[in-house]
Amino acid sequence: MLKDNNMQLSFYSLLYWKIPENHTLKLLSDSVDFSFINDYLQDSYCKYHGRPAKEPELMVKLLVLQRLYNLSDRRVIEDASLNLAYMYFLGINPDDALPHPSLLAKFRMNKLEDVTLDDFIIEIVKQCVDKGIIEDTGLTIDSTHSDANTFKMTPERVMKELAKKIFKTVCEEAGEVPDCINQKIPNYKEIEDHKEAKKIMDSFLKDTIKKVEDSIDTDKNPKTKEILEKAKEITNDPKFLEQKGVRSTVDQEAQVGHKSKTDHFFGYKTEYTMTTQSKLIAAVSVNNGAYVDGTEFKDLLTLTIKSGLKIKDIFGDKAYFKKKILDDITSVGAKAYIPVSAMAYKIDEELFSYNKDSDEWFCDQGNKTINKKYKKNNKGKEIYKYYFEKEKCRHCPLREKCIQKAGTVGKILTVGINTPKFYEYSQEQKTETFKEKYKQRACQEGKNGEMKNLHGLDRARGYGLKSMSRQAKLTAIAVNLKRIAKILSSLKGSSHQSTTIFLKIIKRNNGFRKTPFF
């Protein structure tokens, strides 16, 4: 049950005058209206029954402090009990009691869904947009990786751990492991051939599963049934033995990802959009390490637009140079600043050029295409075949080098169905205007480093995708608030002209508290 939030200042609140006016937490508490948190979470509490619960706003603020200063559950409660700035931000009196650290974990797991945290990010950015504190028209997108909170196992090690869990669970539920089941797990480390070791462990585990199912009534032993089903799910996955599936029995949702061709990691990927000038994160998505950048671009763009941002330019690296993403950007009236990917656009521009108006390709020897046909190749991929004029090809001095297929008279240029459109992008990206504009994307690298080095996003704090998603989105909220405080602080101490602008912002106040910041 939620209690009425009727805070009465105590005598000890006089101590708050000691907090500097430009302190990050004081600026945020006096400017950002966090009351929306209670509105979003009120349905998750019983309205009339039960003991009065800690206010959701208080709990979320504690989680924000935790991510802002990279603290544990216990440490954030300890520090908030002593630090006046923390207390002021939390909206409590210095003599008020704080919740037990265990309540933070329960609140985080039971009350905060991904969709709720998305709403929190949107609401905070929207307040800034509505008040004119940010007026960005540029948006950049990127992803960063986080290591799992466990180590990466070989398939042999995973199967060994699964077998041990099966024996332990059977013993706990049934009292003992039946004699017909061999409990001596093969020592795979003694087998020199890695492939042979995997086969032996796979055979042993599957044989164990079958014998347990034959000798024990799994319907009467639900825990045993659960671990057997999980073991079968893992081992039946064709990617498992190829080391592309589950790599840990502790965190089964973490996967191996690639930072480069030679550099790998085991964990998760956080993909997010961010404004280029104010550097506020507008939307966040979290997936396992094998996630392909850009897969959820449209969802991130939709969440970003909900915050009220008027996006004109969108920046990304080569991983985002995909037809679908470029179309999504165009559909919202924005312009894409994304370098051409060699995987999507395979044309040697030193040999061939394209005229979009006439839909013709030209070679460096002056020949041009006179016909075009749409086809599908052997893999089902849609392609265009452009046919050059045969007579000019017949007498071309580069004929033997250009046309390598015997019996072919004229050059046939095979391109992907999107290549003609991609050619326009490639030409535009050679201009100085594009190169200068694209420099705005560099801000995202700094944000990656900030979240990972200062706020703990370099490593997962828990296990599983939900836990990692909560961590990443709370981190995004924390760094956004820190950035808002910095913007407000700079406005507060700026010249008379900037102060005049700031007064206009206050005058338009709707979503921020009416208490002045200065």
Side-chain angles (χ1 to χ4, degrees):
M1 180 179 75
L2 287 179
K3 61 183 179 180
D4 293 331
N5 189 15
N6 184 18
M7 178 65 67
Q8 183 175 353
L9 294 179
S10 74
F11 173 78
Y12 299 103
S13 297
L14 294 173
L15 294 171
Y16 286 147
W17 72 268
K18 297 173 71 69
I19 304 172
E21 290 297 317
N22 64 344
H23 192 284
T24 296
L25 297 179
K26 188 167 181 29
L27 285 169
L28 290 173
S29 183
D30 290 346
S31 58
V32 181
D33 183 3
F34 292 97
S35 62
F36 66 87
I37 295 173
N38 286 345
D39 296 335
Y40 275 109
L41 293 177
Q42 64 179 350
D43 291 340
S44 63
Y45 292 85
C46 180
K47 192 171 184 179
Y48 302 108
H49 304 287
R51 291 181 299 173
K54 292 294 182 182
E55 289 295 315
E57 181 179 339
L58 170 67
M59 301 299 285
V60 171
K61 283 182 175 180
L62 281 167
L63 294 176
V64 169
L65 286 174
Q66 184 182 53
R67 300 280 21 99
L68 196 56
Y69 299 105
N70 199 16
L71 305 171
S72 65
D73 289 348
R74 184 175 297 277
R75 181 63 185 273
V76 74
I77 297 297
E78 289 176 355
D79 287 4
S81 300
L82 301 171
N83 192 309
L84 282 174
Y86 284 20
M87 297 175 194
Y88 189 87
F89 176 71
L90 294 172
I92 62 174
N93 290 311
D95 54 332
D96 287 344
L98 286 168
H100 191 273
S102 62
L103 287 180
L104 273 180
K106 292 178 181 178
F107 178 82
R108 189 168 50 237
M109 294 178 64
N110 299 328
K111 301 298 183 183
L112 292 184
E113 297 292 336
D114 285 350
V115 65
T116 306
L117 288 173
D118 288 333
D119 290 333
F120 289 178
I121 295 172
I122 291 170
E123 180 65 31
I124 291 171
V125 175
K126 191 174 187 300
Q127 287 189 26
C128 293
V129 173
D130 290 344
K131 302 303 127 236
I133 288 183
I134 64 170
E135 296 179 351
D136 289 62
T137 58
L139 189 75
T140 176
I141 183 169
D142 198 9
S143 65
T144 187
H145 77 279
S146 301
D147 293 327
N149 192 18
T150 183
F151 66 93
K152 178 177 63 177
M153 297 180 179
T154 62
E156 302 96 298
R157 177 69 179 270
V158 171
M159 288 185 281
K160 176 184 176 181
E161 295 299 321
L162 286 172
K164 289 168 66 175
K165 282 189 176 184
I166 290 172
F167 296 146
K168 183 179 179 181
T169 305
V170 169
C171 190
E172 289 175 351
E173 278 198 324
E176 62 178 358
V177 179
D179 294 335
C180 62
I181 299 174
N182 178 22
Q183 297 185 59
K184 188 176 181 181
I185 302 174
N187 188 352
Y188 64 87
K189 292 183 179 180
E190 294 181 351
I191 305 172
E192 294 184 2
D193 188 344
H194 181 57
K195 292 182 179 179
E196 184 64 23
K198 285 195 290 187
K199 286 182 180 179
I200 291 174
M201 290 301 298
D202 184 48
S203 176
F204 174 80
L205 182 59
K206 288 179 177 177
D207 183 61
T208 298
I209 293 171
K210 186 177 184 307
K211 286 184 177 179
V212 170
E213 288 179 329
D214 291 341
S215 57
I216 292 178
D217 187 352
T218 54
D219 290 332
K220 295 181 179 179
N221 297 275
K223 291 183 179 179
T224 300
K225 184 176 182 180
E226 182 181 355
I227 186 62
L228 290 176
E229 291 300 323
K230 177 56 68 175
K232 286 193 287 185
E233 179 186 342
I234 292 173
T235 54
N236 290 337
D237 183 355
K239 296 184 294 183
F240 173 65
L241 293 180
E242 298 298 324
Q243 302 189 161
K244 295 179 181 179
V246 172
R247 300 298 300 273
S248 169
T249 55
V250 177
D251 189 347
Q252 296 180 13
E253 293 182 308
Q255 287 197 18
V256 175
H258 302 267
K259 291 186 282 185
S260 66
K261 289 183 178 180
T262 57
D263 195 5
H264 308 89
F265 70 93
F266 177 60
Y268 298 91
K269 263 189 179 182
T270 298
E271 189 171 44
Y272 63 97
T273 59
M274 185 182 75
T275 58
T276 54
Q277 293 181 342
S278 58
K279 300 179 179 64
L280 290 186
I281 295 173
V284 179
S285 173
V286 180
N287 292 277
N288 62 52
Y291 171 78
V292 178
D293 291 358
T295 303
E296 297 186 358
F297 174 82
K298 188 172 184 178
D299 295 335
L300 289 171
L301 186 58
T302 301
L303 290 173
T304 299
I305 293 173
K306 284 184 179 180
S307 64
L309 288 165
K310 306 299 182 184
I311 305 301
K312 294 181 180 179
D313 304 315
I314 297 180
F315 303 85
D317 60 25
K318 291 182 179 180
Y320 297 92
F321 190 82
K322 300 171 183 175
K323 178 68 163 52
K324 188 176 184 303
I325 292 177
L326 295 173
D327 289 343
D328 289 339
I329 293 173
T330 303
S331 69
V332 297
K335 184 175 179 59
Y337 288 88
I338 304 174
V340 173
S341 169
M343 294 297 294
Y345 177 73
K346 302 177 180 179
I347 287 291
D348 187 346
E349 293 185 359
E350 293 184 0
L351 298 178
F352 303 100
S353 59
Y354 179 72
N355 186 306
K356 67 174 183 177
D357 296 323
S358 61
D359 191 16
E360 294 174 326
W361 287 92
F362 297 83
C363 75
D364 63 342
Q365 297 299 307
N367 197 358
K368 69 175 184 178
T369 56
I370 57 174
N371 193 14
K372 177 180 84 169
K373 289 184 180 180
Y374 165 82
K375 291 189 176 183
K376 285 188 178 181
N377 61 16
N378 297 332
K379 297 181 180 179
K381 183 180 178 181
E382 295 179 299
I383 59 173
Y384 283 132
K385 285 195 172 185
Y386 285 86
Y387 297 83
F388 282 85
E389 190 177 340
K390 292 182 179 180
E391 290 306 314
K392 287 188 176 181
C393 286
R394 193 189 302 274
H395 304 291
C396 179
L398 301 179
R399 173 180 173 78
E400 292 184 1
K401 181 180 179 181
C402 185
I403 303 176
Q404 298 178 349
K405 187 176 180 180
T408 302
V409 179
K411 170 69 177 178
I412 302 174
L413 181 63
T414 303
V415 300
I417 194 169
N418 298 316
T419 299
K421 184 175 181 179
F422 289 166
Y423 181 84
E424 298 177 45
Y425 284 102
S426 72
Q427 299 309 300
E428 184 181 357
Q429 290 169 21
K430 295 176 183 178
T431 64
E432 291 301 320
T433 302
F434 178 92
K435 294 176 182 178
E436 187 63 29
K437 193 89 172 178
Y438 189 69
K439 291 179 181 179
Q440 295 183 38
R441 186 194 166 273
C443 64
Q444 192 130 17
E445 300 301 331
K447 188 64 68 173
N448 288 347
E450 178 188 359
M451 291 195 293
K452 294 172 76 169
N453 298 329
L454 301 180
H455 303 284
L457 196 62
D458 58 324
R459 185 179 178 87
R461 294 172 66 93
Y463 306 108
L465 193 57
K466 286 187 177 180
S467 174
M468 186 67 232
S469 184
R470 285 192 293 265
Q471 178 184 341
K473 291 177 181 181
L474 284 168
T475 301
I477 292 171
V479 295
N480 273 359
L481 291 173
K482 185 171 75 169
R483 181 62 185 165
I484 291 169
K486 187 172 183 179
I487 294 172
L488 293 174
S489 180
S490 65
L491 288 171
K492 183 177 176 181
S494 62
S495 64
H496 174 72
Q497 182 181 2
S498 295
T499 304
T500 303
I501 297 172
F502 193 51
L503 288 170
K504 291 180 180 179
I505 293 171
I506 298 299
K507 192 174 181 180
R508 296 201 303 267
N509 186 13
N510 286 322
F512 286 87
R513 293 178 182 172
K514 294 180 180 180
T515 305
F517 320 150
F518 48 87

